[in-house]
Amino acid sequence: MAQTKPKAGQFYGVSGNGTAGQVLISDGNGGMSWGANTEEFTVSWNTPTGQGLTYTQPSPQSSEGTAGSAFPTTTFTATPPSGEEISGTATIAGLPTGITATQSLSGTGANNILTVTLAGVFPGADSLNTALTLSGLTVALPLTVEYLVVAGGGGGGKGSGGGGGGAGGYLTNYGGTALTLYVATDYLVTTGAAGAGSPSASSNPSVGGNSVFSTITSHGGGYGASESTGNKNGGSGGSGGGGNFNSGSGGSGNTPSTTPSQGNSGGTGGAGNPNYTGGGGGGAGAVGSNAPGSGFGGNGGIGITNAITVASGTGPYYAGGGGGGSQNSGSAGTPGTGGSGGGGNGLAYGGGSAGAINNGDDNTGGGGGGGNTTGTSPSGGSGIVILRYPSSYTFSGLSGNTDTTTVPGTSITTFTNIGTGNIQFNLI
């Protein structure tokens, strides 16, 4: 009689069927029975590859265990090329069945480290010299940004000898610690407006508008004091405005306070009849001068040079204070000059001036010159925001002018249009 072919999982001479994962084991006397699979399998590793990273050999490099038993914790690390940063989550190809991977990054910024941990259970077959390939990460220079944020300058005071307007607040990290940001994230940019002059000696002019980048806020310059407001003191702000005659005090700078300071106080006005003279507006680099008397208005405080837009050298001045206006016994007197960095020159009684320019320069944050009794007093200058960052990144959103040629490998974006909006950085 012919034998019947056994079904899957059946063996002649052995009663019953084995369960999943069991194998036939000899008893040494010719008998067979079902039992646990005690065969050990080996998993060993090559050094991983992918994305131009430098990898360590997985440790332990080789492990043995039975199918389905716990696989020992195995780790390796990946580091980027010098100065670059790893971000994102890796896709890992080549993992044996049953073994899984978790991953973590040691912080952000240049030269961070990716650590991969392997765990799970042993596969049911050897996996020798296993080759893992990583992909899907972003490996690039970190998004580090240097900034210059200058607010709008304050308007100059109106009257016989108006106080000079204070410069807009000045904040920068250029030449210091760069700000580390993130791709595909909104960052606010605001370019502050100039503080308007006043058409009347009975009202003070306007403070400058704030300028903003991300969490950095530079405050508008304080106004220069007008003649007939009942308050002879200059306004406070990034830098303070100059006081009017009758010894009006200069406004306080660095208001609200920041570290480092964003500006300086304005100067004190003259002692009054017959010398109606205004104090100079404060600048980012120095206080505004007190009116020295004898018909002389105080000079505006000097601004600060910044080389964020140049390949080498000192760069231009920003945030100079406005010069105080003047009158001397009914004559013109000698008005103060504006501080380097866009400060406007003061006006003399009757229309004369210390120079051709009395408004603060736009895109410098300069304070307006102190006015006289004719027309509207000078306005301040508008502010500016400048960002410097690796040219492997671009941005979208608020319109700015980007220079990629002055400093190789670096983009310099300048925002001069008055207004506010968000920008996002992304890899090119």
Side-chain angles (χ1 to χ4, degrees):
M1 179 176 175
Q3 288 185 319
T4 304
K5 184 177 181 181
K7 297 179 181 180
Q10 293 180 327
F11 296 88
Y12 290 113
V14 180
S15 61
N17 298 329
T19 60
Q22 288 187 317
V23 296
L24 285 169
I25 301 173
S26 170
D27 62 8
N29 297 312
M32 303 287 288
S33 63
W34 292 103
N37 184 358
T38 59
E39 181 182 2
E40 290 194 338
F41 298 102
T42 300
V43 177
S44 62
W45 307 95
N46 284 335
T47 303
T49 59
Q51 298 208 252
L53 302 172
T54 299
Y55 296 90
T56 60
Q57 175 76 53
S59 179
Q61 192 272 335
S62 180
S63 303
E64 293 183 350
T66 57
S69 64
F71 186 78
T73 299
T74 300
T75 61
F76 66 89
T77 62
T79 54
S82 179
E84 297 192 6
E85 176 186 21
I86 302 172
S87 59
T89 301
T91 298
I92 303 176
L95 286 169
T97 301
I99 298 178
T100 58
T102 57
Q103 51 192 289
S104 63
L105 282 166
S106 60
T108 59
N111 307 316
N112 62 344
I113 299 173
L114 173 70
T115 299
V116 177
T117 301
L118 307 175
V121 297
F122 273 94
D126 290 333
S127 181
L128 304 179
N129 300 317
T130 307
L132 300 181
T133 304
L134 276 67
S135 61
L137 295 165
T138 298
V139 182
L141 291 172
L143 175 52
T144 53
V145 179
E146 294 175 296
Y147 59 80
L148 170 64
V149 181
V150 181
K158 170 74 173 174
S160 297
Y170 170 104
L171 290 171
T172 187
N173 68 342
Y174 180 71
T177 302
L179 182 66
T180 299
L181 302 180
Y182 302 94
V183 298
T185 301
D186 283 341
Y187 294 101
L188 183 67
V189 172
T190 301
T191 303
S198 176
S200 169
S202 62
S203 63
N204 282 318
S206 299
V207 300
N210 295 347
S211 289
V212 178
F213 170 58
S214 183
T215 60
I216 311 302
T217 300
S218 293
H219 294 270
Y223 57 77
S226 290
E227 177 179 356
S228 305
T229 60
N231 179 5
K232 307 298 185 183
N233 300 331
S236 297
S239 281
N244 208 300
F245 64 86
N246 286 330
S247 303
S249 299
S252 297
N254 195 33
T255 304
S257 62
T258 60
T259 302
S261 173
Q262 58 184 305
N264 293 282
S265 298
T268 299
N273 187 22
N275 299 311
Y276 300 96
T277 52
V287 298
S289 296
N290 298 334
S294 301
F296 288 87
N299 294 330
I302 194 171
I304 296 176
T305 61
N306 193 295
I308 194 170
T309 60
V310 300
S312 62
T314 58
Y317 278 89
Y318 298 90
S326 69
Q327 178 183 347
N328 182 17
S329 299
S331 64
T334 303
T337 57
S340 298
N345 297 313
L347 287 165
Y349 179 73
S353 70
I357 299 175
N358 306 110
N359 294 330
D361 289 346
D362 282 337
N363 307 131
T364 68
N372 57 22
T373 57
T374 304
T376 298
S377 63
S379 65
S382 60
I384 193 168
V385 176
I386 303 174
L387 308 179
R388 183 162 165 163
Y389 52 94
S391 58
S392 51
Y393 292 90
T394 186
F395 77 94
S396 59
L398 188 68
S399 177
N401 180 46
T402 299
D403 168 15
T404 59
T405 60
T406 296
V407 183
T410 299
S411 292
I412 303 169
T413 299
T414 302
F415 300 90
T416 57
N417 295 329
I418 305 305
T420 188
N422 287 321
I423 63 171
Q424 283 194 4
F425 293 93
N426 286 286
L427 281 166
I428 293 177

